[in-house]
Amino acid sequence: VTLEGTVENLLAKQRAIRVAESIRGVRSIVNNLEVPCGNRSDSTLLSDASYALVLDPVTEKAELDVNVEEGTATLTGKVQSWVERTIAAQNVRSVKGICRLENRIDVSYSGERDDAEIAEEIRKRLKYDPYVIDHLLSVEVKGGVVTLEGKVASLEQKALARTDALVPGVDSVALNVEIDEDLQLPLQRKSKHVIIADEEIADAVELALELDARTRDSDISVEVENGIVTLSGTVPGLSSKNAAIQDAYHTIGVGRVQDQIKVRPGELRSDEKIGSDIRRVFGWHPAIERHEIDVTVRNGKAFLYGKVDSRYERGQALQAASTIPGVAEVDNRIVVRNGRWEHATDYEITKNIERELRRDWLVDEEDITLRVVNNLAVIEGELQGRRELRRVVENAFDGGAEMVRVTTNINGVPHTNFYHYYDVYETW
């Protein structure tokens, strides 16, 4: 697939690539998308990018430098994990007017790890990832350089396997894998969709929390009973809490997550300062800045009001506010403007949704049934995890549904819920 044309910002360019990766049959992407540089000065871009790194608790204390020249941002410095490197780059991409990004951050793990230890940890990560076919991948590590060989079902699954391989101590990852779209999820389910002991699920979640820079230093306890994970303890920020919930949902065998985590900010900040920082981030964020969003903060709880054009923009506002130091909770009352639904019969919507489901490599449409009644999509069947649930719901919306009702089992745990187009799925 070759992508050509112009998009407004680096986030849109990244989003276009991710959409293309999710389509069945895509084996590689040639990215020729261009981002025009805005009319904001390099000094303003530098100020905003530097402050974005300071605001994020993951990058706040890292030894990072950013330079901006003619709209191109260059990141340099050292971090201890690939997650920190990725988050730093994402923070800079989120500044309106930056049209190119060169990420030259070095990942330098402070401890000593031999190749065998690294390889074993990668094998565990692949095993615990419900969206990767681990038994079709071999792992070899020499001098901190990882080589993955075997087969994957899609380009997106290839990217997920690479992420799993980026554990502490890894210098680089080489992917010598073949994309075989005949694999798909039925084969994957034979090895992954099984009952797993609660103790093993707990170990997998704890490993994920330990490797995630957003949760590594938090005090989180993990308990599992019949595939239901309960997370408790304290974290320094809301972004850490959301990351912990996401890590748990994306672990094999997890049917549901019960959140009992308390946010206890280490730094006491006034509501006025918190609100000021949220407004500043909204002012430079390319997906949010053109909308009028009101922000009120009371006792560390941020209330967001306003109207945006899409669920994506509403979600970006929630995510941006969640990373601000001192925010303990976000009440997102932003609404998505109406008027997106063209006149279509239930039959037409059904056919559109079926087409969307067939395109998505992660969804096994043979395991679900679909019917549409008065623009309500009713979906029943078996789903493997939270990521597949999200994709099914989004496919239904993309096909023209105004509301979606899902009744399913996720790893043996019943799940029934209504989703409106305006909803944002915070833990996804």
Side-chain angles (χ1 to χ4, degrees), residues 222-295:
V222 180
E223 295 182 3
V224 184
E225 184 175 355
N226 297 325
I228 299 175
V229 176
T230 299
L231 301 176
S232 58
T234 59
V235 294
L238 184 57
S239 59
S240 298
K241 174 179 176 175
N242 291 341
I245 297 171
Q246 183 184 64
D247 288 341
Y249 269 128
H250 290 174
T251 300
I252 185 173
V254 175
R256 188 166 70 244
V257 176
Q258 294 181 340
D259 166 33
Q260 297 179 6
I261 298 174
K262 304 296 182 184
V263 178
R264 296 286 185 264
E267 176 187 0
L268 293 178
R269 310 181 78 220
S270 68
D271 290 343
E272 181 180 359
K273 179 59 176 173
I274 294 172
S276 175
D277 282 343
I278 294 175
R279 295 182 194 96
R280 180 172 179 179
V281 172
F282 284 3
W284 74 50
H285 199 294
I288 308 169
E289 51 84 25
R290 66 180 179 275
H291 301 294
E292 293 185 3
I293 298 177
D294 294 325
V295 179

Side-chain angles (χ1 to χ4, degrees), residues 307-322:
K307 291 184 178 181
V308 295
D309 297 326
S310 69
R311 290 180 293 121
Y312 171 74
E313 292 167 335
R314 186 174 188 264
Q316 288 292 301
L318 172 67
Q319 181 177 331
S322 299

Side-chain angles (χ1 to χ4, degrees), residues 212-396:
D212 193 329
R214 299 166 296 179
T215 58
R216 186 173 53 217
D217 298 326
S218 299
D219 180 20
I220 301 175
S221 298
V222 180
E223 295 182 3
V224 184
E225 184 175 355
N226 297 325
I228 299 175
V229 176
T230 299
L231 301 176
S232 58
T234 59
V235 294
L238 184 57
S239 59
S240 298
K241 174 179 176 175
N242 291 341
I245 297 171
Q246 183 184 64
D247 288 341
Y249 269 128
H250 290 174
T251 300
I252 185 173
V254 175
R256 188 166 70 244
V257 176
Q258 294 181 340
D259 166 33
Q260 297 179 6
I261 298 174
K262 304 296 182 184
V263 178
R264 296 286 185 264
E267 176 187 0
L268 293 178
R269 310 181 78 220
S270 68
D271 290 343
E272 181 180 359
K273 179 59 176 173
I274 294 172
S276 175
D277 282 343
I278 294 175
R279 295 182 194 96
R280 180 172 179 179
V281 172
F282 284 3
W284 74 50
H285 199 294
I288 308 169
E289 51 84 25
R290 66 180 179 275
H291 301 294
E292 293 185 3
I293 298 177
D294 294 325
V295 179
T296 301
V297 181
R298 292 194 293 269
N299 298 323
K301 182 176 181 177
F303 297 83
L304 309 181
Y305 306 88
K307 291 184 178 181
V308 295
D309 297 326
S310 69
R311 290 180 293 121
Y312 171 74
E313 292 167 335
R314 186 174 188 264
Q316 288 292 301
L318 172 67
Q319 181 177 331
S322 299
T323 62
I324 303 300
V327 173
E329 186 179 353
V330 177
D331 188 342
N332 191 0
R333 302 186 183 185
I334 297 173
V335 298
V336 181
R337 290 184 176 90
N338 206 341
R340 65 173 290 274
W341 293 281
E342 299 178 358
H343 179 70
T345 65
D346 289 344
Y347 175 81
E348 291 171 328
I349 294 173
T350 300
K351 292 302 178 183
N352 290 340
I353 296 174
E354 289 174 346
R355 184 179 66 249
E356 296 292 335
L357 294 172
R358 283 195 302 271
R359 288 176 175 173
D360 196 325
W361 76 272
L362 188 61
V363 178
D364 185 3
E365 71 273 18
E366 295 181 0
D367 280 355
I368 59 177
T369 60
L370 164 71
R371 68 180 189 274
V372 179
V373 182
N374 296 328
N375 283 10
L376 167 67
V378 180
I379 297 172
E380 299 175 340
E382 295 285 334
L383 299 177
Q384 177 149 341
R386 202 73 171 183
R387 192 189 297 266
E388 187 181 5
L389 171 62
R390 174 178 182 168
R391 294 277 269 271
V392 167
V393 173
E394 290 182 343
N395 287 333

Side-chain angles (χ1 to χ4, degrees), residues 91-163:
N91 287 334
V92 175
R93 284 192 192 96
S94 299
V95 175
K96 176 191 176 185
I98 291 180
C99 51
R100 286 176 294 276
L101 173 64
E102 295 184 12
N103 191 351
R104 299 177 183 174
I105 297 174
D106 292 327
V107 179
S108 179
Y109 183 64
S110 59
E112 293 291 334
R113 310 193 78 194
D114 58 35
D115 291 341
E117 181 183 0
I118 293 173
E120 180 61 25
E121 193 162 276
I122 293 173
R123 293 187 186 101
K124 284 184 178 180
R125 294 262 287 176
L126 295 171
K127 176 183 178 182
Y128 293 147
D129 189 336
Y131 310 105
V132 174
I133 311 175
D134 62 304
H135 64 273
L136 295 181
L137 293 171
S138 65
V139 181
E140 183 178 356
V141 184
K142 290 185 178 180
V145 177
V146 179
T147 301
L148 296 181
E149 294 186 346
K151 293 183 178 182
V152 293
S154 71
L155 194 59
E156 185 177 23
Q157 194 177 70
K158 179 179 178 180
L160 292 172
R162 181 180 184 275
T163 299

